[in-house]
Amino acid sequence: MSYIVKSTERLRKPGAEMETKALLYLMNFREDSDKIHYFVVDFFNDLTGMDRASSKLWDMQSKGASNSSPNSIGRELVTLYKNYLSDFTFSYLILFLGGVSNTVRIDNSKNVFGIENIRPQALIKVIEGLKEESDTKTYIDSSKITTTSINNFLKDVIFVIDDKSPCEYVKAIIKDHPCIIPEEKVLNAIFNEIRDEQSGKKNSHVIEGLVISTSDEALNYYRHLTNNEIRLMTLQRIINRDPVAQGLPLSFMPILNQCPPERQKDMIDECKGSLCRALFNKNTAQSFWSIFEQIYFLVLNNPTDDVQHLYRKVDSTLIYNCPDFDTLSVKYFISVVKDGIQT
Amino acid sequence: MIIKKIAVGNAEESFVEDSLSEGFNIISSDDNNKGKTIIIQSLMYALGNEPAFPKSFSYKKYFHYVEFEVDEITYYICRRNDGFVLKTPSALMMFDNVSELKRYWTKNIFVLPEIYKNEMLRIVDPVLFLQLFFIGQDKKTTNNISNAGYYNKIDFINMLFNFCGLGFPHLSSEDVLITKKQISQLKEERDNLLKQHKILKSSKTAVNYLSAISDKTSFDEKIKQLNKINDKIADLRKERNIAATRKARWETTLKELRSLNRTIDCGELRCMECDSTNISFSRAKKSSYAFDVSNVDMRNEIIGSINEKIASYNEEIEKVASLINKEQEYLQELMSDDNISLESIVAYKNQIFGSSDAELKIKEIDSQLEILNNSLHSNEISTKKEKEQQDKLIDAIVSLMIAAYTTIDSNSNSIIDGIFTKRDELFSGSEATVFHLAKLYSIQKNTDHNFPLVVDSFRAEDLSTPKEKIVLDLYKELKNQKIFTTTLKTEELGKYDNLSYINSIDYKEHVPSKMLNDLHNTEFKKLLSNILIELN
């Protein structure tokens, strides 16, 4: 069993934006979203979701145009079809569309649907489009293109129509912490960051022509993002927005109150300064994320612990790896995270 | 803006005023010293005003707490000495001086006016801003703002303009020429004086000599006073140093941050034998990636806030420096009125008077230079059209002031020709009271601000009953919250109880000079613990 990587592509902005939306759709808006752990970019397809054990695959193709005709929908299906015909099993085949022309759907209010919601005439055009496109592509063995296989393939495809703005997709990431939803500008900035990281993946290595024998090998090429990374990045961006201007986290007060009054101001300034340094230090990004991740989960799992207790649970090697932090500033950071996600 | 609650106290004693309504409040009592002024001053002090408490009240011992509402958001502010705690719905802020408070205020609560002062655009301090809607009991003058010091009436007018969105005051082109000429003359004079002034700095200072020969006992007395001032100066210097250190720390942080925002690249590998760079090496870890810890927006925002912080410390340093100067001036004054023997006068006459005169003059010239420079500077920024609008605004305020004044006091023959009277045309007694009430009224009418109108002792200097009635009727029409205070005569007791539009708050039951007591302690502690101040 083998799989040959073919037809990877580079995209312009609207396409890239659509791919990010597709990613966030996979991450947040499906019933099985929790199961998707890896998002492999531009490897099997535009985007492929993978579960933690890399045994289950969600294959996704996205199309930015807001008014796709049945024929062009059919043409877009070609990469999904290619994967369908390959030796690997893709559990879900999803076509993510910016929009479709009025002649496509039977029920226009349905934004997630299978072929049963496509009008018969339109379906004929879809099949035509797919056939034409398959014939021109060299990577599909023309002997495999049969009416039965196309019909079976189409039964498996899920069509999803994008009906949300970028910030709504980002909002969904933090839906568990409704109190910290920031302004749209911030959400859009986060969206753009995810987008840039995602398109950055495409430029990493040339993978065209690679042959892999199992789906988990795809992860070796590091063209993936993980669910957790995206979630943490989003939370961090919101919680740590301008630590200098924003006042004190309330959960830091017990610690502050033990400090002599004339030193309190300096203590706060020092903590804020350290946090700023950590946020600016590009060279310890990995360590920052590790410590942030640990604190985040500590706070979630121990909601009643105060900052002192939480601090004792933080792995001290993580603190050593983050030269910008010291004991007090880590406590301050814990307070910021705690107040950010709990209140 | 609505004031909802005022409280003052500490762990031992306290008082909470929570019966204020959004309409017309009159706080009254049958005697003096029942705490009306303290409550009003606490309110203003908590909002950042300079303290003007009665002398018998040692305000530094207490927390001053105010709950107020702006655009349906409730804020809690508490001040003790120079420390402020402000609670907003989302955060708890601590400030250790007024400049930090006002900067936060203007960014997050509502925009405070800005004026040019010392050739720098700065946000006005509460002490000036509050005078838009507050008349205190003391320090009332009609020819200048009250608490004149760092700010003066020109600043007040500039603030009014800025508050109404009319920019800054203007000069005609001839004025500019004249001003420039004046500046160069003053500078020349200053140079000359400086030469004379050198004597003061010479080692055999006349002052030392004079002190030595002055009478022993009065000298001791003087030393005590001098020490006191010296202590004060030392304290101020300490304060200035702290501010400077903090400023420096943020400046270093800023520099550090800039250097951290750089990815450090490692050198490349070369073969030692052939110097080829074509060497492969395998990494221990797989090539991984991470999101940056912050993005550009975030970093810019942080740098912006740090700069802001530095600016506020700068301002604080400047302010403390001006306080130090004031104390030094006072010190000099003390030293110069020494008893001087006839011989010494004869011996040192020229030097002493020549030099101390010079110093005074230099100061005077400096302040004149400053005013001229300020006016030149702000002039550059304004346009002709704005000037017309500014004149119009002043005219409108003054004419309404006159109208209000004559409504209240139809028989007066005092003439009002500006927001402030001329130096030699002081209004006094009830005339001054009416003047201020008319001004407050007219400013509200013309700027349409929504701040509470606060008048401490609105019947000061025996405002007659008919006049008082007119005042109440005038103010009744304004939609703002109003907080007035007054002392009632025995036969007047309860006079406001029957007026439906007035929320009469009676302080009659308070023990004179002992308004704070332990009855309110539980409530007071609760208020403060809400903003995380624990009393013990």
Side-chain angles (χ1 to χ4, degrees), chain A residues 193 229 236 242 248 279 289, chain B residues 92 289 291 293-295 305:
Chain A
E193 267 185 83
E229 280 161 351
Q236 196 272 128
D242 205 351
L248 272 183
L279 290 177
W289 290 117
Chain B
L92 184 80
Y289 86 98
F291 281 105
V293 185
S294 54
N295 57 17
S305 307

Side-chain angles (χ1 to χ4, degrees), chain A residues 3 9 20 35 46 72 95 98 106 111-112 134 158 187 195 199 211 225 232 234 245 257 269 278 280 290 313 318 334:
Chain A
Y3 183 96
E9 54 176 344
T20 305
K35 302 209 174 69
D46 279 357
S72 66
L95 182 64
I106 297 170
N111 283 332
V112 181
S134 307
I158 303 164
L187 292 172
R195 183 196 67 206
S199 6
V211 180
L225 299 160
L232 282 181
T234 310
N257 280 337
D269 277 2
F280 272 66
S290 322
K313 291 180 183 158
L318 290 180
I334 295 173

Side-chain angles (χ1 to χ4, degrees), chain A residues 232 290-316 318-319 330 333-335 337-338 341-342:
Chain A
L232 282 181
S290 322
I291 197 165
F292 182 75
E293 183 175 10
Q294 190 175 40
I295 291 173
Y296 173 67
F297 286 111
L298 278 175
V299 171
L300 274 194
N301 300 332
N302 307 287
T304 54
D305 274 15
D306 66 5
V307 176
Q308 277 304 351
H309 283 96
L310 289 169
Y311 176 76
R312 265 175 243 148
K313 291 180 183 158
V314 176
D315 182 357
S316 56
L318 290 180
I319 301 175
V330 171
F333 188 43
I334 295 173
S335 319
V337 177
K338 189 173 159 70
I341 60 179
Q342 275 185 351

